[in-house]
Amino acid sequence: MHPIHINSSKKTLRKIIAEINPDKIGVIVDENTKVHCLPRLQSKLKQRISVIRVHSGEIFKDTDTLHEIWEQMYRAGMTRKSLTINLGGGVIGDMGGFAASTYMRGMQFIQMPTTLLSMVDASVGGKLGVDFHQMKNFIGIFKEPHMVWIDTKYLKTLSTQEIKSGFGEVIKHSLIADEKLWKKIRTTKKIKHWKTLVKQNIAIKKAVVKADPYEGGIRKILNYGHTVGHAIESHYLTSSTPLLHGYAIGFGMIIENIISYQKGMLSKKQMKDINTYLKDYYPCHPMKVKKSSISKMVDMMKMDKKNANGEIRMSLIEKPGRCHYNVPVSPAEITSAMEESGLFVR
Ligand code: GLY
C-alpha cells in the first residue's frame, strides 16, 4: 500500500518529489484550498507549479469538471511524466486522482487531503472517480496514489460543519471496527490530539483495505451507513441546501441501525444508544425531505454498487465494533426504517 505521511518535514516532501523527478507539477485546488492551503504548500516546494482550478462542492464532482481538469493539464503541457498533487477534500482527491490516472494513460499523483473527511477516509485506499446521473462515485477506478501527505495544520482552516462532516467517518470507523474508540468518542467533548485521531482512523481503514483492496468482501464494511446515506446525499445534490457527506452518512447510519435492530442483529438498547448520540451530534441540519421522497431514495439504493442478484445488500452492525456485509435488505424494510426514523417530514 502507498506510504502515508502525517506531519512529516518539508525536507521529506522535497526528497520524495525529487525522486519522482516530474517534468511538470500540477496542483489541483478549489477556491478554498487556493486561498487557505496552497500558499503553505508552495512554501514547501522548490519547483514551479501549474495551478489547476475546480469549483468546490460535490455538485461539481462530474464528468464536465473532469474534462476541465484534463483541459488544464493539456494547456499546462503536462505529460505522463508529470505529477498531479490533489490539494483538497474528497472531491478533489477522487476526481483529481481519476484525471491524473487517465490523462495520457496515467501519471503519478499525490493525495494531499485538507479536510478531516479526506484525511481519515477518502485519501486512503485508492478509490477514484466522479458522480454520474446523481449517483455517487458511479464512474471510477481503483488506483493507489504515489503517497498520501497529511498536514493536520489544514484542519484549522475548516468550519465546524466541515469538521462534523469528517467526524461522520470517524464515528463509522469506530462502530464497524473499534468499540474502544467508540466509547472514547462518546465521552470526549473536544478533540485535542487530531494527529492521534487521524492516525487511529487511518490504521482502521488501512487494515481493511489491505485485506481486500478491490472490495470483493470485507472492504464493504467501510460502506456502513453509506447505502442509505449516499441516497440521501444524492437527493440533496441539486437542492439549495446541499448536505455535507458526513451528515448524510450520519443519517444513513441512524436508518441502517434501525434496519439492523428490526432484523434482530443490533439490540434495542444499543440501537437507541447509538442513534441518540448521532441525532444529538447532527441536529443542526434537520431533514427537510418529505416522506413522499422516500420511494425515490429507495430506487437509488437499487443501483448501489454493493448490490448482488438484484438484491440491495447492506453493511450492518451487530454491536459497536462488529459489522457484517452483504446483508440482503428489502425495499419494504428500508422504507419502514426511514419512516420510523423521524428524520423526514410529512
Ligand atoms: N470509503 C469507503 C472505501 O474507501 O471503501
Side-chain angles (χ1 to χ4, degrees):
M1 200 176 174
H2 49 78
I4 300 173
H5 290 267
I6 308 181
N7 299 349
S8 297
S9 68
K10 170 164 90 177
K11 209 171 135 204
T12 309
L13 181 63
R14 286 187 175 175
K15 186 168 168 267
I16 292 167
I17 293 184
E19 277 162 13
I20 300 173
N21 191 22
D23 60 1
K24 292 221 157 50
I25 301 177
V27 181
I28 306 185
V29 294
D30 61 23
E31 58 275 20
N32 300 318
T33 58
K34 182 169 182 279
V35 175
H36 300 295
C37 309
L38 187 59
R40 185 169 161 83
L41 171 61
Q42 268 173 318
S43 73
K44 292 183 183 180
L45 298 178
K46 278 198 197 145
Q47 296 88 335
R48 235 195 107 251
I49 57 156
S50 299
V51 178
I52 298 173
R53 291 181 185 84
V54 297
H55 293 295
S56 68
E58 186 74 32
I59 190 82
F60 294 105
K61 191 181 180 184
D62 61 7
T63 47
D64 289 346
T65 311
L66 197 52
H67 191 271
E68 283 166 22
I69 296 174
W70 286 323
E71 196 62 54
Q72 291 180 65
M73 286 172 165
Y74 180 73
R75 273 189 264 125
M78 290 175 78
T79 71
R80 57 167 58 162
K81 295 243 160 25
S82 303
L83 170 70
T84 296
I85 297 179
N86 297 315
L87 185 68
V91 172
I92 286 189
D94 288 9
M95 188 163 53
F98 187 83
S101 304
T102 44
Y103 180 87
M104 284 193 167
R105 294 216 174 87
M107 68 176 90
Q108 302 270 27
F109 65 98
I110 291 174
Q111 299 292 37
M112 284 199 186
T114 57
T115 62
L116 178 61
L117 189 133
S118 53
M119 287 180 195
V120 298
D121 183 23
S123 66
V124 180
K127 278 189 180 176
L128 310 171
V130 293
D131 303 340
F132 188 63
H133 284 285
Q134 264 184 270
M135 270 164 312
K136 295 262 307 164
N137 310 320
F138 206 74
I139 307 291
I141 51 170
F142 287 99
K143 181 154 191 294
E144 301 247 325
H146 185 81
M147 72 160 165
V148 179
W149 182 269
I150 294 173
D151 181 346
T152 55
K153 280 238 162 68
Y154 289 138
L155 293 175
K156 289 204 168 75
T157 68
L158 302 177
S159 65
T160 309
Q161 280 220 336
E162 272 291 350
I163 291 282
K164 287 184 86 158
S165 175
F167 213 72
E169 299 292 356
V170 172
I171 298 168
K172 177 198 81 180
H173 283 150
S174 74
L175 287 172
I176 60 171
D178 191 340
E179 190 175 12
K180 244 168 94 185
L181 179 61
W182 163 243
K183 285 186 174 152
K184 197 166 146 213
I185 285 173
R186 295 195 47 190
T187 50
T188 306
K189 285 255 177 306
K190 196 169 162 33
I191 307 292
K192 287 197 200 96
H193 305 290
W194 285 106
K195 186 178 170 188
T196 312
L197 188 83
V198 168
K199 254 185 151 167
Q200 248 176 325
N201 276 271
I202 288 178
I204 293 171
K205 174 136 192 197
K206 249 178 107 172
V208 176
V209 171
K210 198 165 167 229
D212 177 21
Y214 301 112
E215 203 170 284
I218 187 80
R219 184 166 179 170
K220 292 176 191 172
I221 66 170
L222 295 172
N223 268 296
Y224 159 61
H226 283 61
T227 308
V228 176
H230 273 165
I232 295 173
E233 190 179 0
S234 298
H235 188 82
Y236 265 94
L237 264 187
T238 50
S239 86
S240 53
T241 51
L243 192 61
L244 289 176
H245 178 74
Y247 282 68
I249 298 317
F251 297 132
M253 288 189 278
I254 292 172
I255 292 162
E256 293 186 11
N257 290 341
I258 298 173
I259 296 171
S260 178
Y261 159 64
Q262 286 172 345
K263 282 187 167 298
M265 292 169 64
L266 195 58
S267 76
K268 188 169 186 170
K269 187 183 171 306
Q270 280 183 325
M271 184 270 286
K272 284 204 154 170
D273 210 36
I274 301 165
N275 282 4
T276 303
Y277 172 85
L278 287 168
K279 284 183 178 176
D280 228 45
Y281 193 73
Y282 294 110
C284 55
H285 202 309
M287 302 281 285
K288 300 244 175 48
V289 180
K290 290 208 168 89
K291 277 194 180 174
S292 54
S293 305
I294 288 179
S295 66
K296 271 193 219 138
M297 290 186 242
V298 175
D299 280 347
M300 276 195 165
M301 293 177 220
K302 291 178 186 159
M303 296 296 286
D304 190 276
K305 293 186 283 301
K306 297 185 300 303
N307 295 347
N309 303 331
E311 284 177 329
I312 297 175
R313 301 270 177 99
M314 284 191 190
S315 300
L316 298 176
I317 54 166
E318 178 196 319
K319 65 190 229 23
R322 187 170 307 156
C323 188
H324 296 265
Y325 57 91
N326 282 344
V327 183
V329 183
S330 72
E333 286 173 301
I334 303 168
T335 306
S336 130
M338 288 177 97
E339 282 177 355
E340 257 183 51
S341 68
L343 295 173
F344 301 89
V345 295
R346 281 216 171 271

